[in-house]
Amino acid sequence: SFELNAAMASKVLKVRSPSHTIQVTPKNNRFFHVRVTDEDFLTRDLVIYIRTRLVFRPQLFLEYSEQYSSKAMLLTFVPKNLAEDNDKKYECIFVVDRSSSMGNKMLQTRKALSKVIESLPDKSLFNIVGFGDTFVCLFEESQSINNSTSLTAAFD
């Protein structure tokens, strides 16, 4: 089974999964426990939506697996009205772990980055910084998401 403990920055209004059957146990209004009850949960991507009272606040998720002795972190932030304000130009710098600890997860990382970059508003700029033993920027300067050459370079 898969289990997740999460502490949110504000009150949790709803937790749901369109991909799996889950059991949610609230601990208080900001902290909850999720258990995936499907037996075949590893056969598809796990998606869990968490709706909080304060939507546009940064959130940090930390995970530790005793079974695999591994740690993971996810930091989220969404500028207010990003989806609605297509006239502004945003610049997004993506930092990607390319160290040996990532193993064979780079294909997954490329797919996820591709989806995020494609969803940015028109006129946005992006760059990717990879790190491992050293760090390297994909481009000297951030590139337009409308530049197909830049997009091809990012995912080849």
Side-chain angles (χ1 to χ4, degrees):
S1 73
F2 176 84
E3 296 187 24
L4 163 78
N5 288 310
M8 308 308 291
S10 67
K11 183 178 180 179
V12 176
L13 301 176
K14 187 173 186 175
V15 180
R16 69 180 184 87
S17 175
S19 62
H20 292 73
T21 305
I22 61 172
Q23 182 179 44
V24 180
T25 307
K27 301 294 183 184
N28 61 42
N29 67 358
R30 291 182 41 233
F31 183 79
F32 60 93
H33 177 83
V34 175
R35 187 163 119 10
V36 177
T37 57
D38 296 348
E39 289 186 23
D40 63 342
F41 70 94
L42 291 176
T43 60
R44 60 198 176 281
D45 289 341
L46 172 61
V47 178
I48 297 176
Y49 293 119
I50 304 165
R51 182 170 176 87
T52 60
R53 186 172 58 82
L54 301 174
V55 179
F56 295 109
R57 293 267 173 107
Q59 297 181 18
L60 177 66
F61 299 89
L62 300 171
E63 171 190 293
Y64 176 72
S65 169
E66 290 183 23
Q67 181 179 358
Y68 297 104
S69 297
S70 68
K71 298 174 187 171
M73 177 184 81
L74 169 69
L75 173 64
T76 66
F77 63 95
V78 179
K80 286 186 179 180
N81 302 322
L82 179 64
E84 300 166 7
D85 195 356
N86 289 327
D87 292 335
K88 287 190 177 178
K89 181 165 72 171
Y90 294 91
E91 181 175 13
C92 298
I93 309 297
F94 299 95
V95 181
V96 177
D97 182 353
R98 299 178 325 145
S99 67
S100 60
S101 68
M102 288 296 287
N104 59 357
K105 297 178 184 160
M106 290 312 295
L107 179 59
Q108 244 182 320
T109 303
R110 281 188 181 131
K111 286 180 182 180
L113 267 176
S114 174
K115 287 182 179 185
V116 170
I117 290 171
E118 288 171 4
S119 69
L120 292 173
D122 286 340
K123 304 178 189 171
S124 294
L125 302 174
F126 80 99
N127 204 344
I128 301 172
V129 178
F131 72 92
D133 295 334
T134 62
F135 74 93
V136 63
C137 295
L138 181 60
F139 306 109
E140 278 189 38
E141 294 182 7
S142 293
Q143 301 292 306
S144 170
I145 63 163
N146 302 93
N147 181 339
S148 61
T149 305
S150 298
L151 289 174
T152 302
F155 301 111
D156 281 348

